[in-house]
Amino acid sequence: MLLADLPLSERDPALANLIRRENDLESSTLRMIPSENYASRAVQEAAGSVLANKYSEGYARKRYYEGQQIIDEVEELAISRVKALFGAEHVNVQPYSGSPANLAVYLAFCNAGDPIMGLSLSAGGHLTHGHGVSITGKYFKSVSYGVRRSDHRIDMDEVRSLAMEHKPKLIWAGTTAYPRIIDWAAFRVVADEVGAILAADISHISGLVVAGEHPSPVGIADVVTSTTHKTFRGPRGGMIMCKAQYAAAIDKAVFPGLQGGPHNAATAGIAVAALEAATPEFRQYAKQVVANAKVLATALGEKGYAIVSGGTDNHLVLVDLTPKNVTGKVAAKALDKAGIVGNYNAVPFDTRKPFDPSGIRLGTPALTSRGFGPEEMLQVANWIDEVLIDPANEAVQARVRAEVAALCTKHPAPGLAI
Ligand code: DSN
């Protein structure tokens, strides 16, 4: 047998073993990072397929390389499914992920030095929405808006007054750590008032948008970006939807502006994810993601945790641990030892540093994908509390980890090897 035909377990046992261990970790722990999920076996098969062998700079029917008979069909299938799902006029499925998708938006609409606006990272925005350490904060004149101190909602009065003052070319509406509904129409009004392009980044919530669990910005925003692996439950990847009038600018910005050949296997995975997202099962999953997050927020609130914004409308809960006298990093590490995997996160108006902030961010997409409902979420809230009451208590962490693993056995994670 040729070396190239050997299975991974024989060709590279060390790496195969690492993958098996990651599989076991994902199987036996509660994955509560809100941006993570379990892609289906079909999505993984497509995303790990022979399509990755092919180079295909350009777009379907207009490529710079030959041999595109199949690739063109793959890309057209992904585009047509995503278009139908979101009701988008134009779709580009080539961005490598969310950050390149967002960079393509800048390239399509802005010049270096132009003013742009986005939600600050500390209030729940994303690095690529103009944060100072990101290229988007260095190459553009970035103006950040925040949330209100009183209720942690995006302050549309501030958005408007900053927009009137700075006249941004581009306004981002989109979040990574914001538990509430985004009012796309209110952003549209401000963007129109100052003549700005409105870009909605729905990376975290695209699965909820598809299912009608969060209002859609498609048709309101000029351009909509998303990753494909979060609530949408596809492969690692990105996509951009836009009004027809911006199609050429967006396509040109993605290729040749920013990227080379698209990752065709990822494109295939997006096509599969879009097929899956059109099913009643997916709608039920998305509904349960939100219901589970509400149960978790309420249960933790009742145990004395400060829940940012007082609750949640989406897939995540941002917990301010200040009343519990434990820091975000200490909490996240203690929970990780107990098999509950989240991430430490700044809370609005945090007085602590980003590397050890006051909060943790917990999401329900992956737990919901493995079939958790309200009963399991109450159990999860109890475990979180048991661990955080004494985050140095390794005996409690070990006991909870064993109980977590037992519950996980009852709810096998989809898409994993047994
Ligand atoms: N890393 C993602 C998240 O966790 O929200 C954002 O890109």
Side-chain angles (χ1 to χ4, degrees):
M1 195 188 236
L2 290 174
L3 276 182
D5 291 329
L6 287 176
L8 184 66
S9 56
E10 290 173 39
R11 185 70 183 89
D12 190 344
L15 197 275
N17 190 42
L18 288 175
I19 293 176
R20 187 190 56 72
R21 285 171 53 204
E22 173 64 19
N23 185 93
D24 293 350
L25 195 61
E26 293 190 15
S27 167
S28 63
T29 55
L30 301 180
R31 299 176 57 235
M32 299 191 72
I33 294 170
S35 44
E36 291 187 352
N37 214 328
Y38 294 101
S40 70
R41 183 169 171 174
V43 164
Q44 291 180 64
E45 260 181 46
S49 69
V50 68
L51 297 170
N53 286 342
K54 190 75 193 113
Y55 250 123
S56 52
E57 269 95 336
Y59 291 97
R61 318 290 156 189
K62 284 174 288 180
R63 306 279 186 188
Y64 290 82
Y65 293 72
E66 298 311 315
Q68 307 294 340
Q69 298 83 341
I70 312 299
I71 297 299
D72 279 359
E73 286 193 46
V74 170
E75 191 167 319
E76 285 173 340
L77 186 60
I79 288 171
S80 66
R81 286 179 179 170
V82 173
K83 260 188 178 174
L85 205 51
F86 288 89
E89 290 178 11
H90 179 74
V91 170
N92 186 311
V93 290
Q94 293 195 4
Y96 299 146
S97 196
S99 295
N102 289 352
L103 291 184
V105 173
Y106 286 98
L107 189 56
F109 299 112
C110 302
N111 292 308
D114 279 347
I116 62 105
M117 276 178 59
L119 180 65
S120 70
L121 190 68
S122 56
H126 188 252
L127 285 167
T128 57
H129 299 172
H131 191 273
V133 301
S134 153
I135 187 170
T136 63
K138 292 183 191 294
Y139 282 34
F140 303 98
K141 188 180 158 238
S142 172
V143 178
S144 295
Y145 56 86
V147 294
R148 280 190 296 260
R149 201 176 268 275
S150 56
D151 61 0
H152 303 145
R153 274 19 177 224
I154 291 171
D155 185 346
M156 290 310 300
D157 292 335
E158 186 193 16
V159 173
R160 182 172 182 275
S161 68
L162 287 173
M164 297 300 276
E165 182 185 346
H166 297 281
K167 299 281 187 287
K169 251 316 200 359
L170 175 68
I171 299 177
W172 284 103
T175 63
T176 64
Y178 183 72
R180 295 299 181 177
I181 298 287
I182 301 167
D183 186 347
W184 308 119
F187 275 98
R188 179 75 266 168
V189 169
V190 174
D192 284 345
E193 241 182 312
V194 297
I197 290 287
L198 177 60
D201 180 345
I202 60 168
S203 293
H204 264 255
I205 55 171
S206 48
L208 307 184
V209 167
V210 164
E213 294 299 318
H214 188 293
S216 175
V218 175
I220 299 174
D222 298 295
V223 55
V224 178
T225 63
S226 183
T227 48
T228 52
H229 46 271
K230 298 187 174 98
T231 49
F232 192 62
R233 223 162 50 180
R236 301 296 294 212
M239 55 190 176
I240 305 178
M241 296 166 255
C242 65
K243 296 182 174 172
Q245 71 200 90
Y246 301 121
I250 286 293
D251 284 355
K252 214 171 126 202
V254 174
F255 173 85
L258 194 67
Q259 298 186 170
H263 292 178
N264 297 306
T267 302
I270 293 172
V272 178
L275 181 79
E276 294 177 348
T279 60
E281 291 76 20
F282 189 89
R283 277 198 292 284
Q284 181 51 37
Y285 140 82
K287 202 180 177 63
Q288 195 61 51
V289 164
V290 177
N292 283 347
K294 285 181 190 291
V295 171
L296 182 67
T298 304
L300 290 175
E302 284 170 359
K303 291 177 190 302
Y305 293 83
I307 306 302
V308 170
S309 85
T312 182
D313 300 325
N314 61 22
H315 63 303
L316 68 83
V317 182
L318 194 53
V319 185
D320 183 349
L321 297 163
T322 309
K324 298 288 183 180
N325 289 319
V326 52
T327 71
K329 194 170 188 173
V330 167
K333 291 200 174 299
L335 289 169
D336 187 46
K337 286 189 188 150
I340 301 170
V341 187
N343 65 274
Y344 53 86
N345 213 98
V347 297
F349 310 101
D350 210 326
T351 50
R352 300 184 57 85
K353 295 260 184 296
F355 205 56
D356 188 8
S358 299
I360 48 173
R361 189 181 67 149
L362 299 169
T364 55
L367 298 194
T368 308
S369 290
R370 68 188 308 162
F372 278 25
E375 193 185 321
E376 288 78 19
M377 295 316 301
L378 289 175
Q379 176 63 73
V380 171
N382 285 341
W383 281 328
I384 289 171
D385 191 40
E386 284 179 67
V387 171
L388 296 189
I389 280 171
D390 183 5
N393 191 328
E394 293 185 359
V396 169
Q397 290 160 12
R399 177 187 42 86
V400 170
R401 191 176 184 102
E403 290 173 4
V404 161
L407 184 64
C408 286
T409 308
K410 284 197 205 150
H411 296 275
L416 297 187
I418 307 297

